[in-house]
Amino acid sequence: MIIDLDEVRTPTLAPQYDVCIAGAGVAGIVIAKTLAERGRRVLLLEAGGEYFSERSQDVYRGAVVGHEYFDLDVTRLRFLGGSSNHWGGWSRPLDAHDFGKHAHIDGSGWPIGFDDVNAYSEATAEILGIEPVPRDKPVAGSAGDLNEIFFRRSQVWFKDKYGPLLASSENIDLLLRANLLDISLDPTTGRVATFQIRGYGPDDPMLEARAESFVLSLGGLENPRALLNANKQRANGVGNENDLVGRYFMEHPHFDIGHYFVDQKRTDLGRERRIMAPSRQFLTEAGIANCGIRLEVVDPVTRVSLLTKGRAQLSGAVCKSNNLVGLVKKVRPGFRCRQPFEDVLKAVKKLPLDGAGLLRTASEQVPLSSSRVLLADETDQFGRRRLALNWQLSPLDKETIRICGLAVGRYLAEANIGRARLFDWVLDPEAGFPGLDDGEELAGNHHMGTTRMGLSATDSVVNANCQVHGVGNLYMAGSSVFRTGGHANPTFTIVQLALRLADHLAAS
Amino acid sequence: MRMLTRRVFLRFWTALAVVALGLPQGSRAGARRDEIILVDGWILRASDLPKDAR
């Protein structure tokens, strides 16, 4: 049943549901659907309607106070289906490596393993309407450093695929335009007693949703905001006794890092898009985070332009080579061409490079305590404090990109199928990251880590079952629970974890 | 001064990368042993360059 609070201001809700879920995006819909199929009574709250509206989207406005980032009301959508209404559909599970503890990445090591989520891969693929994701394939000629990796492209928009089911299910009450304004705790048990919700009208009554268990599935930015704003009974917010809610915000940085040039008689690269990633052994030995390197195909005009420019740059490199290669033995000042002109021409001509493309990374960001979501002073139309995002990147994030770019370049040269040139900022240890003004994609709109999973309340917000430490019946769903983010788009893992949480809730 | 520092860092970094990347290629049939080097952002084989530059 669907109830729209714009039409029914005081709906008749069940006195007690089995589970109340705030947020009808990917995670919320999967949990609601799974629980309903098992006979559980579910109240699903969606703050938006069935379509985009300025009024709802305005609640997402916030401040960006750290590294440059997208406007917070643009990076996500606040209506039924959530961000699945504008996602690209790229689907791939995290690697087994991503769940492990690695000495060079502080705070790595999930309390659950790859097998715990992999058990839900088949069901996840079915929900996303995709075939199973093919296994990684070692890249021949890369000396075991690189794997070719694969994604599937989901065409599922959750509102369209699962909306009718939500409407017809006897076990689901879906409340539209229901804004979660507060979380009330039972003062005796410390468990959640009610979710306080309200429609948009200034005189709309405050409604109380009661359930055995409660789930927040509002996305990686709103999940911490809901906990931090619930500060009437807990001064620092619910579940925030250790000042961890909102910290460890992670993204998947996306950057153009250079160009590749190939001999198309020897390879399909340049004609076909390929994605590579460092092997597990390479990641460990290099001491870097995970990374996907996309060898993007460009249109014919751009290809010609890249080749022309590339040959000119290569000539410049050959000129400088007498100085730079000599650095190993002796530093020579000056950058004027020290090679005879005919030698430069010969060197450039020797390389039969007739294909070209863009090297782009989508990398893992290591968790950083200072990278965080905070409450701003400004309030929204409901008097709840808005978000401030302080996104921070670390030197290891830069190093990950540099090492991965070099690995692909080395592979092309060693296999003698092409050469690569990396941009100056990638190789310059003093240079920062480029920004949106430089035409960069910047990041994936993937908001992770802000209520991260762990064994102890001293270093995490939720436990291995996604339950908020110290609040027995409150659970978090979505990528906010990611301990580390890997490099794969998060939706596949979000669905796996949602199915796992639904299993847990159904069993409890 | 800042430019000079940047240049020195860049050269130091490049030198390190040359050493780090300069691993033997191995013994693939038909290929001679070659080094992978980094020159002005290009990841090249040493044999890509004129002889006196190697």
Side-chain angles (χ1 to χ4, degrees):
Chain A
M1 178 175 60
I2 295 182
I3 306 165
D4 188 334
L5 289 189
D6 262 2
E7 295 163 10
V8 185
R9 293 175 63 220
T10 51
T12 307
L13 302 178
Q16 176 93 353
Y17 290 87
D18 290 318
V19 180
C20 174
I21 304 166
V26 169
I29 288 175
V30 168
I31 295 168
K33 165 185 160 330
T34 309
L35 288 171
E37 286 165 357
R38 305 209 189 151
R40 301 297 190 277
R41 289 282 290 141
V42 177
L43 177 62
L44 180 58
L45 308 173
E46 170 52 53
E50 290 184 80
Y51 300 98
F52 177 91
S53 77
E54 294 286 351
R55 182 178 64 172
S56 175
Q57 202 63 25
D58 178 77
V59 178
Y60 275 172
R61 277 199 302 112
V64 173
V65 299
H67 190 281
E68 181 184 18
Y69 197 67
F70 313 110
D71 289 341
L72 299 186
D73 57 337
V74 171
T75 188
R76 57 226 164 107
L77 289 175
R78 195 170 186 263
F79 64 98
L80 184 60
S83 291
S84 78
N85 288 303
H86 67 159
W87 76 317
W90 295 103
S91 302
R92 172 183 165 83
L94 291 179
D95 301 333
H97 177 86
D98 295 325
F99 291 87
K101 185 163 180 58
H102 310 293
H104 59 280
I105 300 180
D106 280 346
S108 58
W110 290 53
I112 59 175
F114 175 77
D115 290 342
D116 293 309
V117 294
N118 191 42
Y120 298 94
S121 290
E122 204 175 309
T124 297
E126 197 180 319
I127 286 169
L128 295 175
I130 56 173
E131 294 293 312
V133 179
R135 293 172 72 89
D136 299 352
K137 207 167 73 180
V139 173
S142 76
D145 287 349
L146 297 169
N147 291 325
E148 183 172 3
I149 64 164
F150 305 92
F151 286 75
R152 290 289 189 201
R153 194 89 189 260
S154 170
Q155 304 287 334
V156 170
W157 286 26
F158 276 63
K159 182 188 73 171
D160 296 342
K161 182 167 180 183
Y162 298 108
L165 183 147
L166 298 174
S168 63
S169 172
E170 290 182 358
N171 287 327
I172 298 175
D173 286 346
L174 169 59
L175 233 54
L176 295 179
R177 295 177 232 280
N179 298 282
L180 172 66
L181 299 192
D182 207 353
I183 300 169
S184 296
L185 302 177
D186 181 318
T188 314
T189 63
R191 291 163 66 89
V192 176
T194 61
F195 273 179
Q196 314 277 314
I197 51 181
R198 221 190 76 186
Y200 287 90
D203 301 323
D204 281 1
M206 187 75 88
L207 304 173
E208 291 192 330
R210 296 180 186 279
E212 188 59 37
S213 300
F214 293 83
V215 178
L216 290 180
S217 53
L218 301 162
L221 295 175
E222 290 301 304
N223 270 355
R225 183 182 174 209
L227 293 176
L228 293 170
N229 263 313
N231 54 12
K232 285 190 186 128
Q233 292 166 283
R234 299 280 187 275
N236 295 329
V238 169
N240 196 31
E241 284 72 15
N242 294 301
D243 187 26
L244 291 171
V245 171
R247 291 190 182 272
Y248 303 102
F249 171 81
M250 298 175 291
E251 249 285 7
H252 288 133
H254 284 48
F255 290 110
D256 295 347
I257 63 161
H259 295 123
Y260 67 91
F261 303 87
V262 288
D263 177 356
Q264 295 211 304
K265 288 187 293 301
R266 295 177 180 223
T267 178
D268 284 337
L269 290 171
R271 281 192 287 259
E272 283 183 14
R273 183 179 194 256
R274 298 274 171 77
I275 307 178
M276 298 179 185
S279 66
R280 195 170 178 163
Q281 186 183 348
F282 184 92
L283 288 173
T284 305
E285 287 176 1
I288 56 172
N290 210 341
C291 184
I293 309 122
R294 306 170 188 182
L295 287 86
E296 302 281 6
V297 174
V298 294
D299 63 78
V301 176
T302 307
R303 188 179 68 233
V304 170
S305 161
L306 285 181
L307 283 166
T308 309
K309 214 167 152 188
R311 285 193 190 99
Q313 287 168 336
L314 186 55
S315 301
V318 173
C319 281
K320 292 176 188 177
S321 62
N322 205 20
N323 298 320
L324 293 175
V325 174
L327 274 172
V328 179
K329 299 168 192 164
K330 186 179 172 186
V331 176
R332 296 183 195 175
F335 275 145
R336 69 189 176 83
C337 190
R338 286 174 176 264
Q339 302 293 342
F341 185 60
E342 59 272 24
D343 284 358
V344 173
L345 284 181
K346 208 167 138 191
V348 174
K349 208 174 163 189
K350 197 171 69 176
L351 293 171
L353 305 175
D354 54 358
L358 183 65
L359 286 173
R360 178 175 280 167
T361 50
S363 56
E364 176 177 21
Q365 178 187 351
V366 298
L368 205 61
S369 165
S370 58
S371 181
R372 66 185 300 197
V373 166
L374 303 150
L375 293 181
D377 290 335
E378 192 190 338
T379 55
D380 64 18
Q381 58 198 281
F382 302 104
R384 293 166 71 245
R385 290 171 69 187
R386 292 188 184 276
L387 275 183
L389 174 64
N390 183 359
W391 182 30
Q392 296 291 326
L393 291 158
S394 73
L396 186 51
D397 299 322
K398 176 84 182 293
E399 183 68 350
T400 294
I401 291 168
R402 187 184 72 87
I403 294 283
C404 288
L406 289 173
V408 169
R410 183 163 76 173
Y411 152 65
L412 294 174
E414 281 194 339
N416 206 21
I417 56 175
R419 304 291 184 268
R421 182 178 188 274
L422 302 182
F423 295 151
D424 292 345
W425 73 266
V426 177
L427 298 170
D428 182 351
E430 284 199 329
F433 292 93
L436 290 168
D437 290 343
D438 303 300
E440 288 290 347
E441 197 175 337
L442 192 65
N445 295 286
H446 305 152
H447 314 130
M448 302 173 285
T450 47
T451 63
R452 69 174 184 169
M453 187 188 285
L455 291 173
S456 148
T458 57
D459 86 332
S460 58
V461 177
V462 302
N463 67 18
N465 289 322
C466 298
Q467 180 216 310
V468 175
H469 292 298
V471 188
N473 63 344
L474 179 60
Y475 297 84
M476 310 302 286
S479 50
S480 69
V481 306
F482 285 18
R483 178 93 188 173
T484 50
H487 71 78
N489 299 46
T491 302
F492 195 97
T493 310
I494 288 172
V495 175
Q496 288 175 311
L497 288 170
L499 289 167
R500 184 171 177 272
L501 174 55
D503 262 1
H504 176 76
L505 292 169
S508 56
Chain B
M1 186 62 191
R2 184 171 165 74
M3 282 299 291
L4 184 65
T5 311
R6 274 174 76 93
R7 190 172 292 177
V8 168
F9 260 99
L10 201 56
R11 287 180 166 220
F12 173 70
W13 194 255
T14 306
L16 272 184
V18 168
V19 174
L21 285 167
L23 302 173
Q25 175 189 325
S27 54
R28 279 195 300 280
R32 64 188 180 78
R33 288 174 74 81
D34 207 342
E35 278 187 331
I36 304 300
I37 54 172
L38 180 65
V39 184
D40 200 24
W42 284 89
I43 301 152
L44 301 171
R45 290 171 164 230
S47 61
D48 292 341
L49 301 173
K51 212 169 181 180
D52 64 346
R54 290 178 221 158

